[in-house]
Amino acid sequence: LSNVLSTVFSKNINVSVWGSYDRWEGIITTSLYLFCTFLIANKKGFSNNKKIIWAIIIASSLSCLYGIVQSLGIDIVKWSLDPSRRVFGSINNPVHYCAILGMSLPLIVGQLFYTIKKNNNPKPKLSQFGAITIYYVVVGVLTQLIPMQNQTISWILFYIALLGSPFIYYGIKAKKAPSIQNQLNILFNAILLITYATYLSYSRATWVGLTAALGLIFTITLIIEKQKPKNEFLISIIGCVLMTTFSYLFLLFKLNTISPVTQLLAAISIIASYLVMIFPEKKNQWLNFCIGLTIIFSQFFIGTWLSIIVGSITFLSLIKMKQERNLLPVKLLTFIILLMNIQFVSGSLLNFLFVIILIIGLFILEESTTKQTPFSNNQIFQWKILTIGIIIFVIISPTLFLKIQSQINKGQASSNQLILQASAKINSYSNIAIEGSARTSMWKSSFPWIKDHPILGTGLDTIKFYYPKYRRPEYGKLEGGHNFTPDRLHNEYLNTLASKGIFGFVVYYLLFIGGTTFSLLIFTNKTSDEAQYLIIGLIGSSFVYLGQIMFNFGVVATLVYFYFFIGLAMSLKNNHEAT
């Protein structure tokens, strides 16, 4: 209804029907998205859901192989961009390629949790994960030491086969002698390669969405394990979402450093969010508050020795409080802060040490850790730490290799440009937020636009058509492209408000997406079935999309994934309730 009204009352009905050139996100395409979601959500059969999930995992894994090969400077396609400087697979845009890969990672984590619970916590053979990692390290070193200049399809296929040979081996084993270990190997291998390809195509927006989504699904699974009443469960979830939102907004983008006012606003917002997280806890509220407050305090001084000292003292003091096990809010906060800082581990030694301290803190806080089992016997917890370890390994290893290579060879290979590109983007969060950019100019243009057309907007997909009326003078200098007329505002929430108005925004984000997510979360809390972990993984993948469109926008590739994830999650819920 909101799409129809936005089209009928559009400032350009023709554009709203077909969509603007290049994007085609008019009512025809958006209706197809919703129709596909409806079909998937009502697909009967839990086995069909699992097949689709595995198809997405396999497709993402195959796609990342081509991206990694591009990073070696081997590609026969004459793309409009240089993929060896920032890989993009076959999408010709690293931002959206990064988003697709990032969106698949929470789903893989959810499949991991599902496999563990479904098979009664099987003990994995860690040596096999080690062998996989060593194999790729050796392949990576060889490709750097022996650069290949011959740009032929044969060499591309050779390198894809070299990188994908573990998957071929697992596929053969899955046919001949299927095992739980083989499934875990596939999923571990997929996380390793997809994380690396996501790093090579580094997009700030995707990494914001990905780290926030992983932090949220790690916390959601913790809350579910406590089997809280519905009201307490929802309050805890809302607290985690608020904590994630304000921590990323103020601390990641350094908005708290603008002035004393923003510093105070940041502190009030983050502490208030933590109070919401604490509210459902009946015991040890004061202890949770004091410990959480010191962790929050250390974050305001991240990158200094003060944060290391405060963090160390905080978690070491918990060793003496082993009898005080009800510290769930502290665990939730630690996961959120850890995932927010994880991409900065290669930036400096202090950043690395702070992340390590947070990981040690998680081991101290974990109920199942004892002197006899210091590494815990909770396999869900172990896989969370292992996933965090993979991300750290992927981010640190290229930087270490670059430093070693610079000592051996003063020249700079094209693959080194990728590492430098990613590092530059990792360190530029505060610049884009505080100093301003073409994106911020677009965002400022939207405010008078929304004010002039508040109810139904200017019409579906009319951003490019109507932007010249609200273009700010500095935009041309900042962007210098798109004929000074972008087709999106690089913030899907503002896009929606400008094109569909408040009515369309409320219907889409609050009723459709918000209502669906709300019902799914309620379902995962009231059932103890292992399918809840698949649903949480799908919710996490959707969160990656919803996070990255704060700085980007949806395209066919990412939108298809997003609607698939929503439909699949609802289908899992419907199939479970039907049985």
Side-chain angles (χ1 to χ4, degrees):
L1 177 62
S2 68
N3 286 340
V4 169
L5 290 175
S6 178
T7 302
V8 171
F9 293 97
S10 173
K11 300 299 179 182
N12 189 323
I13 295 179
N14 191 49
V15 168
S16 293
V17 170
W18 299 102
S20 65
Y21 176 71
D22 275 351
R23 302 303 176 193
W24 307 111
E25 297 287 343
I27 193 170
I28 295 175
T29 306
T30 53
S31 298
L32 284 173
Y33 290 145
L34 296 173
F35 184 60
C36 288
T37 306
F38 175 80
L39 291 177
I40 297 169
N42 291 279
K43 180 68 175 177
K44 294 182 178 179
F46 185 67
S47 62
N48 289 320
N49 300 145
K50 292 194 293 184
K51 289 177 183 176
I52 296 175
I53 288 171
W54 273 105
I56 293 172
I57 293 172
I58 293 170
S60 301
S61 301
L62 293 176
S63 176
C64 79
L65 295 178
Y66 181 34
I68 294 172
V69 168
Q70 282 181 331
S71 73
L72 304 175
I74 306 172
D75 200 345
I76 61 172
V77 180
K78 301 300 181 183
W79 300 101
S80 60
L81 303 172
D82 181 5
S84 67
R85 296 182 65 86
R86 192 175 170 197
V87 304
F88 47 72
S90 58
I91 294 182
N92 203 30
N93 190 319
V95 170
H96 302 306
Y97 179 67
C98 186
I100 291 171
L101 296 180
M103 289 171 70
S104 66
L105 282 170
L107 178 56
I108 299 174
V109 173
Q111 178 64 50
L112 269 169
F113 293 169
Y114 167 82
T115 302
I116 291 167
K117 286 294 183 180
K118 179 70 174 177
N119 297 281
N120 299 316
N121 298 312
K123 291 185 178 180
K125 297 178 181 177
L126 298 178
S127 59
Q128 296 197 20
F129 302 151
I132 296 169
T133 306
I134 292 171
Y135 172 79
Y136 283 117
V137 169
V138 171
V139 170
V141 171
L142 290 177
T143 56
Q144 294 297 317
L145 296 178
I146 312 173
M148 179 53 60
Q149 302 298 328
N150 193 356
Q151 305 277 341
T152 64
I153 187 66
S154 300
W155 280 108
I156 292 175
L157 293 175
F158 169 75
Y159 277 107
I160 288 177
L162 188 66
L163 292 168
S165 58
F167 286 119
I168 298 172
Y169 173 72
Y170 303 141
I172 295 172
K173 285 199 69 175
K175 285 289 185 181
K176 292 184 176 180
S179 66
I180 304 305
Q181 179 65 44
N182 194 53
Q183 286 187 38
L184 296 176
N185 287 345
I186 294 172
L187 296 170
F188 176 87
N189 202 67
I191 292 177
L192 188 64
L193 288 184
I194 292 174
T195 303
Y196 182 55
T198 305
Y199 176 78
L200 293 176
S201 60
Y202 197 96
S203 164
R204 285 174 297 235
T206 296
W207 276 90
V208 167
L210 175 58
T211 55
L214 286 175
L216 285 172
I217 66 173
F218 287 175
T219 56
I220 290 171
T221 51
L222 273 174
I223 298 169
I224 286 173
E225 290 171 0
K226 300 299 180 181
Q227 297 182 329
K228 292 176 172 290
K230 183 173 74 173
N231 291 341
E232 294 183 7
F233 169 76
L234 289 176
I235 291 173
S236 296
I237 296 293
I238 291 170
C240 289
V241 172
L242 290 174
M243 174 60 68
T244 301
T245 301
F246 289 122
S247 296
Y248 276 69
L249 179 64
F250 286 109
L251 301 178
L252 182 68
F253 291 96
K254 306 297 182 185
L255 294 183
N256 62 303
T257 63
I258 295 177
S259 68
V261 175
T262 58
Q263 186 86 301
L264 179 62
L265 185 61
I268 293 172
S269 302
I270 294 172
I271 293 172
S273 301
Y274 188 59
L275 288 173
V276 176
M277 295 168 62
I278 294 174
F279 182 77
E281 300 303 314
K282 306 302 181 185
K283 297 180 181 179
N284 301 322
Q285 285 186 332
W286 181 247
L287 180 61
N288 274 294
F289 176 74
C290 291
I291 297 172
L293 197 62
T294 58
I295 297 173
I296 292 171
F297 174 78
S298 68
Q299 187 60 29
F300 277 83
F301 298 92
I302 192 68
T304 68
W305 280 106
L306 181 60
S307 66
I308 304 298
I309 294 169
V310 172
S312 300
I313 293 173
T314 300
F315 288 114
L316 290 175
S317 66
L318 293 178
I319 297 175
K320 299 293 184 181
M321 303 178 188
K322 270 297 187 182
Q323 70 278 10
E324 302 289 355
R325 286 300 192 175
N326 193 19
L327 295 173
L328 177 62
V330 178
K331 292 173 68 175
L332 302 179
L333 175 66
T334 304
F335 268 118
I336 292 171
I337 296 297
L338 170 59
L339 268 299
M340 183 176 69
N341 285 285
I342 197 169
Q343 58 186 314
F344 302 109
V345 289
S346 65
S348 71
L349 177 62
L350 293 177
N351 288 335
F352 175 78
L353 289 175
F354 187 74
V355 168
I356 296 300
I357 288 168
L358 291 176
I359 293 174
I360 294 171
L362 288 174
F363 276 102
I364 295 172
L365 290 165
E366 172 59 31
E367 288 90 338
S368 59
T369 56
T370 63
K371 291 181 179 180
Q372 291 73 30
T373 57
F375 296 105
S376 173
N377 54 15
N378 181 342
Q379 290 203 31
I380 296 292
F381 173 76
Q382 290 175 353
W383 273 104
K384 289 177 182 177
I385 298 299
L386 186 56
T387 302
I388 290 170
I390 290 173
I391 297 173
I392 293 174
F393 171 76
V394 165
I395 294 175
I396 286 180
S397 55
T399 306
L400 288 176
F401 179 80
L402 181 61
K403 290 180 179 178
I404 295 171
Q405 190 185 52
S406 65
Q407 299 299 320
I408 301 173
N409 182 8
K410 298 302 181 181
Q412 191 163 277
S414 60
S415 57
N416 295 350
Q417 293 290 337
L418 281 163
I419 301 169
L420 295 173
Q421 176 91 349
S423 298
K425 286 188 169 293
I426 288 172
N427 295 320
S428 64
Y429 282 98
S430 59
N431 295 336
I432 190 173
I434 297 175
E435 295 179 8
S437 65
R439 274 189 175 91
T440 55
S441 178
M442 295 181 210
W443 300 344
K444 292 175 183 176
S445 298
S446 70
F447 301 135
W449 191 335
I450 296 165
K451 182 181 178 182
D452 292 346
H453 309 275
I455 308 301
L456 296 176
T458 54
L460 209 61
D461 211 12
T462 55
I463 299 298
K464 187 172 185 177
F465 171 75
Y466 226 65
Y467 186 81
K469 181 177 179 180
Y470 297 100
R471 184 193 298 117
R472 293 172 62 84
E474 78 278 0
Y475 175 73
K477 296 178 181 178
L478 292 168
E479 179 64 79
H482 299 297
N483 196 27
F484 304 112
T485 307
D487 49 20
R488 290 292 186 275
L489 297 176
H490 283 73
N491 182 308
E492 197 65 67
Y493 301 99
L494 295 177
N495 283 337
T496 303
L497 282 168
S499 61
K500 296 173 63 176
I502 296 173
F503 178 71
F505 183 91
V506 170
V507 168
Y508 184 66
Y509 287 110
L510 298 185
L511 298 184
F512 175 55
I513 296 175
T516 303
T517 305
F518 177 85
S519 66
L520 289 170
L521 287 172
I522 293 296
F523 170 77
T524 57
N525 187 54
K526 72 180 182 181
T527 180
S528 58
D529 189 272
E530 57 272 1
Q532 65 185 192
Y533 291 102
L534 290 177
I535 293 175
I536 292 170
L538 289 162
I539 291 173
S541 293
S542 301
F543 283 170
V544 175
Y545 173 82
L546 294 173
Q548 66 99 18
I549 59 171
M550 290 184 68
F551 312 95
N552 282 322
F553 50 88
V555 295
V556 173
T558 55
L559 280 166
V560 167
Y561 259 31
F562 175 65
Y563 284 108
F564 258 60
F565 294 150
I566 292 177
L568 276 171
M570 287 302 299
S571 182
L572 286 166
K573 175 178 178 290
N574 294 337
N575 283 318
H576 186 276
E577 292 176 338
T579 56

